[in-house]
Amino acid sequence: MFSSKDKGANTHYDTLISSKTEIVGDVKFTGGLHVDGVIKGNLFAEAGSGAVVRVSDKGRVEGQITAPNIVINGKVVGDVYAGDYIELAQKAQVSGDVYYQAMEMVLGAQVNGKLHHQAKGTQPKKAVEIAKEQSGAEAKVD
């Protein structure tokens, strides 16, 4: 399903959004977040936190994702901001721009938007604005 280089493979996922769950609202998290269900809102983890978000082939996010490490194998409708690493697996479908420092994109993955490479230690202005907005996120997962 994912490559051997997958940074999320050895990650402990603190939170699981099951395939029978739909969340409406923004989610602020630390640690690992695995999405099999639907999130209609933004996902936010602080830069440098080492947090990982994984959207499985069953998962869907309708909102922006901002996290240091991201693995997508499902659907995302919104911009994606990967502070360190992003993997777009075979079934990934992203409708939005992708901001990244390091990226692995597998044959079959789709991006309907622009790819923006970011130099190490920089964060796009838009992501900084999102971070400020997210400080009052509706749901916090620790």
Side-chain angles (χ1 to χ4, degrees):
M1 184 160 94
F2 294 109
S3 75
S4 61
K5 295 179 184 178
D6 178 11
K7 286 195 167 197
N10 297 323
T11 301
H12 170 77
Y13 289 96
D14 303 299
T15 305
L16 168 67
I17 308 300
S18 80
S19 60
K20 298 179 181 181
T21 304
E22 179 176 308
I23 294 177
V24 178
D26 295 340
V27 178
K28 184 176 180 181
F29 68 98
T30 58
L33 173 64
H34 184 95
V35 180
D36 281 338
V38 177
I39 297 178
K40 294 181 177 179
N42 301 317
L43 299 179
F44 177 74
E46 291 188 32
S49 66
V52 178
V53 60
R54 172 183 260 164
V55 181
S56 78
D57 58 341
K58 303 173 203 166
R60 186 172 80 236
V61 176
E62 297 176 12
Q64 297 178 354
I65 301 176
T66 303
N69 301 293
I70 302 171
V71 179
I72 299 173
N73 197 29
K75 295 181 182 179
V76 175
V77 179
D79 293 343
V80 178
Y81 300 90
D84 295 327
Y85 174 85
I86 185 168
E87 178 180 335
L88 300 174
Q90 184 177 12
K91 296 180 182 178
Q93 296 178 358
V94 179
S95 295
D97 291 353
V98 177
Y99 298 81
Y100 67 95
Q101 285 186 20
M103 177 173 58
E104 179 177 350
M105 187 170 179
V106 177
L107 182 66
Q110 300 174 22
V111 176
N112 296 306
K114 296 180 181 178
L115 298 175
H116 302 272
H117 181 262
Q118 305 295 307
K120 190 165 180 82
T122 63
Q123 195 174 18
K125 183 178 179 182
K126 192 171 181 183
V128 172
E129 292 169 5
I130 292 167
K132 289 179 183 177
E133 291 174 12
Q134 295 303 319
S135 60
E138 293 178 22
K140 181 177 180 186
V141 180
D142 288 310

